[in-house]
Amino acid sequence: MSLLNLDARWRRLNDPDYACPCCGRRFSGVFDIGFEEPDAWLHGPRSDDLLRVGEDKLSSELCRLGERRFLRCVIALPIRGSDGESLFLAPWAEVSQSDFYAYLDGSTQDGAPVTALTATVANALPGLGDPGPGTLQPGSGLERPRLEFATGPLAVASAEGISFDDLLDIYAAAGQDIRPHLTGS
């Protein structure tokens, strides 16, 4: 049993049979926060597999905007006191052009495998501030690359986890304030 099971709000979040008394809203556990495009993308939302505006391109995982290049990635924030639950953020990361193409090819110009790329988060992360530069670790197979940080608040949150209240604050900052729906009254 996780320590969070002592918190009635956690139990309600994870109970698919629980319905909010004020509105009937139901939950099925921790949900991820994704971003459809980098914040710099100004051409509107993608409705098909690929949005092309002139030379600029946006797919679900790759973006070219002028001379800038972006990859969709994942940031994992473990939730303290849970049984291995994590909040997954799926922002975009900006990388250099050479790293972008090395990532697509799976190897650098000298044939070495791509193991890590310097990257910067290309979305404002709700309630988390600006994390600064990070390291993009390519995923295996169809996994998105993971963005990790060596220093700063996101490095600490990734290593030590976030509290349940931190999770609720992040959801609220992302426009999904579920706190009133978990009170049970």
Side-chain angles (χ1 to χ4, degrees), residues 105-120:
D105 292 339
S107 62
T108 60
Q109 287 182 345
D110 62 3
V114 175
T115 57
L117 306 170
T118 300
T120 304

Side-chain angles (χ1 to χ4, degrees), residues 65-147:
L65 181 61
E67 297 299 314
R68 300 171 74 184
R69 301 294 183 267
F70 304 89
L71 300 168
R72 189 89 174 267
C73 64
V74 172
I75 300 170
L77 302 176
I79 302 168
R80 289 191 310 263
S82 72
D83 285 331
E85 295 271 347
S86 292
L87 168 65
F88 289 96
L89 305 170
W92 290 82
E94 185 169 3
V95 297
S96 70
Q97 283 190 33
S98 61
D99 283 349
F100 181 83
Y101 293 110
Y103 174 81
L104 293 180
D105 292 339
S107 62
T108 60
Q109 287 182 345
D110 62 3
V114 175
T115 57
L117 306 170
T118 300
T120 304
V121 176
N123 298 98
L125 300 178
L128 295 168
D130 179 9
T135 303
L136 205 57
Q137 305 290 338
S140 61
L142 297 177
E143 287 182 339
R144 284 186 176 141
R146 279 190 183 242
L147 187 56

Side-chain angles (χ1 to χ4, degrees), residues 7-176:
D7 188 327
R9 300 169 305 158
W10 178 258
R11 291 192 309 270
R12 290 180 188 119
L13 175 66
N14 289 285
D15 180 357
D17 296 327
Y18 169 76
C20 174
C22 72
C23 66
R25 186 169 176 185
R26 294 181 183 274
F27 302 95
S28 59
V30 176
F31 53 92
D32 303 338
I33 298 173
F35 300 84
E36 293 299 317
E37 65 271 327
D39 287 349
W41 182 262
L42 300 176
H43 298 301
R46 180 178 52 83
S47 58
D48 293 324
D49 290 339
L50 177 68
L51 175 58
R52 183 187 299 243
V53 179
E55 294 296 312
D56 297 340
K57 295 179 185 179
L58 175 68
S59 72
S60 63
E61 305 299 317
L62 307 170
C63 179
R64 178 174 76 188
L65 181 61
E67 297 299 314
R68 300 171 74 184
R69 301 294 183 267
F70 304 89
L71 300 168
R72 189 89 174 267
C73 64
V74 172
I75 300 170
L77 302 176
I79 302 168
R80 289 191 310 263
S82 72
D83 285 331
E85 295 271 347
S86 292
L87 168 65
F88 289 96
L89 305 170
W92 290 82
E94 185 169 3
V95 297
S96 70
Q97 283 190 33
S98 61
D99 283 349
F100 181 83
Y101 293 110
Y103 174 81
L104 293 180
D105 292 339
S107 62
T108 60
Q109 287 182 345
D110 62 3
V114 175
T115 57
L117 306 170
T118 300
T120 304
V121 176
N123 298 98
L125 300 178
L128 295 168
D130 179 9
T135 303
L136 205 57
Q137 305 290 338
S140 61
L142 297 177
E143 287 182 339
R144 284 186 176 141
R146 279 190 183 242
L147 187 56
E148 299 171 349
F149 302 90
T151 61
L154 269 179
V156 173
S158 295
E160 298 177 7
I162 59 174
S163 70
F164 182 47
D165 285 314
D166 292 337
L167 173 70
L168 296 176
D169 291 344
I170 292 168
Y171 283 156
Q176 294 281 334

